[in-house]
Amino acid sequence: MDDELFEFEEEALGGGQEGASSGYEHLRIEVDKGQAAVRVDKFLTDKVANATRNKVQQAIDSGQVKVNDAKTKANYKIKPGDVITLVLEMEARETEVLPEKIELDIVYEDDHLLVVNKPAGMVVHPAYGNWTGTLVNGLVYHFNQLPEMPGNSGRPGLVHRIDKDTSGLLVIAKSERAMTQLAKQFFDHTIGRTYLALVWGEPKEDAGIIDAHVGRSARDRKVMDVFPDGDYGKNAITHWKVLKRLRYISLIQCNLETGRTHQIRAHMKYLGHPLFNDAVYGGDKIRKGTQFSKYKAFVNNCFKMLPRQALHAKSLGFVHPVSNKFMQFDSSLPEDMQNVLGRWENYVRFDVED
């Protein structure tokens, strides 16, 4: 699930040459005001994705970590307001993807493309910590010689992606022509993408547009922040409307103009309505309702039924790269989201606490 040739999530497009197996990641982290004094090597190990203590210490020893523009030592105790910059060597890896016999839910297929319905829990392409079991591993098993965009070896067929725990539709290119044409449609923001989400609370309005930049948090590189003044991050636009109000949660529809990393998740948190059970953006806690034990038990049971952020890529519309015909695909709300939605409908119907 940017301002590059096509709309992968932000981190998906590397800056290296095609086929390169390693590179460098440049990071800047501003220490939060409430941060306790801890060693800089421990702080970076906890904050930077895929960083090990050994890798961080090697970077410090080689002068690639600076605090307030000065070289530092591993035992330096960070202070609130410190600005840490670092250059980390990314893990070298083979770009060849191993084929795996993974069952795919193929909604449509022809000689140039296919549309798949990805289940929640499946990673889209191999990366650190997930070299096997991904959608791409399954694709290369079922299809030969899928095209790749320059600089994205190891991600054959992909022109966009969605998060591991987001379910829904993805279009896959089977030919170079399809790859190029679909990529251009993503770049031009002409591909229609509709998502359904369960969010905490009830928005005051029935519909709206969130036009606010999204970029990586200075406090935690794994999280995206919203920058409404546009002073950081990349332009991100989400159109949303309420489909159903259930007092404590709402079912909303989101249509994307852009495709930034965690765009819907970050935008809805910014709006004050984080996605239900979204652990990264605060939706895995009770954000609306009472403190009664019965209600807490009900919510926790819903969390168990839906152990992920409640987000589904429902529909996808684009112009076929060869026939030039507009194609529209739709998918049903997955069972886990349906079940939780039904539970909330029943709860609100019979709850007379107010």
Side-chain angles (χ1 to χ4, degrees):
M1 334 29 71
D2 298 42
D3 296 332
E4 314 288 351
L5 180 58
F6 61 115
E7 290 215 348
F8 267 120
E9 293 183 344
E10 183 179 13
E11 72 271 26
L13 284 177
Q17 297 296 317
E18 182 176 6
S21 59
S22 65
Y24 292 89
E25 186 174 14
H26 297 256
L27 304 174
R28 180 184 183 277
I29 300 175
E30 184 174 343
V31 179
D32 207 6
K33 291 182 179 180
Q35 174 64 47
V38 297
R39 287 170 55 115
V40 66
D41 57 346
K42 182 181 187 305
F43 175 79
L44 292 175
T45 302
D46 293 339
K47 287 293 184 183
V48 178
N50 308 333
T52 64
R53 189 77 167 261
N54 184 56
K55 183 190 290 187
V56 169
Q57 289 175 342
Q58 288 178 354
I60 291 173
D61 292 342
S62 63
Q64 293 179 306
V65 177
K66 294 182 179 181
V67 178
N68 303 325
D69 293 325
K71 293 181 180 180
T72 189
K73 294 183 178 180
N75 62 358
Y76 170 78
K77 296 290 186 69
I78 63 170
K79 300 185 298 293
D82 279 348
V83 175
I84 305 171
T85 56
L86 64 153
V87 180
L88 286 181
E89 185 173 4
M90 298 169 66
E91 179 184 5
R93 67 177 179 87
E94 297 295 328
T95 56
E96 180 182 1
V97 180
L98 298 177
E100 295 181 59
K101 190 176 181 180
I102 298 172
E103 183 177 351
L104 303 177
D105 182 4
I106 299 175
V107 176
Y108 173 84
E109 180 187 357
D110 62 26
D111 291 339
H112 295 277
L113 60 87
L114 64 142
V115 176
V116 298
N117 190 14
K118 185 190 81 68
M122 176 182 280
V123 176
V124 172
H125 64 75
Y128 184 89
N130 293 284
W131 297 120
T132 61
T134 74
L135 175 64
V136 165
N137 290 111
L139 288 172
V140 297
Y141 176 88
H142 293 285
F143 304 98
N144 295 322
Q145 298 180 326
L146 291 174
E148 293 180 335
M149 291 297 295
N152 283 281
S153 295
R155 297 162 185 173
L158 296 188
V159 290
H160 67 136
R161 70 179 189 181
I162 55 180
D163 292 333
K164 171 186 175 181
D165 289 327
T166 298
S167 55
L169 299 179
L170 288 163
V171 59
I172 308 297
K174 292 176 63 179
S175 67
E176 295 286 351
R177 182 175 180 181
M179 175 70 79
T180 301
Q181 292 296 324
L182 289 170
K184 186 176 187 305
Q185 291 183 57
F186 273 104
F187 180 78
D188 292 338
H189 307 310
T190 58
I191 286 191
R193 287 165 291 170
T194 299
Y195 288 73
L196 293 184
L198 294 175
V199 303
W200 278 107
E202 293 185 306
K204 294 180 180 179
E205 306 296 330
D206 290 332
I209 301 174
I210 305 173
D211 186 349
H213 283 211
V214 171
R216 294 204 175 277
S217 169
R219 298 179 301 276
D220 188 343
R221 297 287 296 176
K222 303 173 187 177
V223 176
M224 307 303 289
D225 279 344
V226 174
F227 302 88
D229 295 331
D231 53 343
Y232 184 71
K234 295 184 178 181
N235 180 44
I237 302 174
T238 303
H239 299 255
W240 62 271
K241 68 177 180 180
V242 178
L243 300 182
K244 186 171 294 187
R245 296 177 179 272
L246 296 170
R247 190 188 309 176
Y248 308 106
I249 69 167
S250 298
L251 176 66
I252 66 165
Q253 175 181 305
C254 291
N255 292 83
L256 301 182
E257 282 194 31
T258 55
R260 310 306 181 200
T261 304
H262 296 180
Q263 177 173 321
I264 292 175
R265 300 167 67 185
H267 267 175
M268 294 313 299
K269 178 186 177 183
Y270 169 72
L271 197 64
H273 302 282
L275 270 60
F276 187 79
N277 209 14
D278 189 343
V280 175
Y281 293 93
D284 61 339
K285 303 175 181 63
I286 294 177
R287 302 296 296 267
K288 176 75 173 179
T290 73
Q291 294 301 312
F292 294 155
S293 58
K294 175 185 174 183
Y295 179 73
K296 289 182 178 179
F298 170 77
V299 173
N300 287 330
N301 187 48
C302 288
F303 284 160
K304 292 177 182 178
M305 294 173 62
L306 182 65
R308 64 179 180 104
Q309 69 264 8
L311 184 62
H312 177 66
K314 187 178 191 299
S315 65
L316 195 61
F318 55 87
V319 175
H320 192 281
V322 177
S323 70
N324 290 322
K325 293 181 179 179
F326 181 77
M327 307 186 77
Q328 179 74 30
F329 298 95
D330 194 64
S331 62
S332 299
L333 200 64
E335 186 176 359
D336 57 356
M337 287 183 66
Q338 285 190 44
N339 289 340
V340 167
L341 181 61
R343 291 291 300 273
W344 277 101
E345 288 172 336
N346 288 332
Y347 186 88
V348 172
R349 183 180 302 119
F350 296 108
D351 177 39
V352 293
E353 135 220 10
D354 289 339

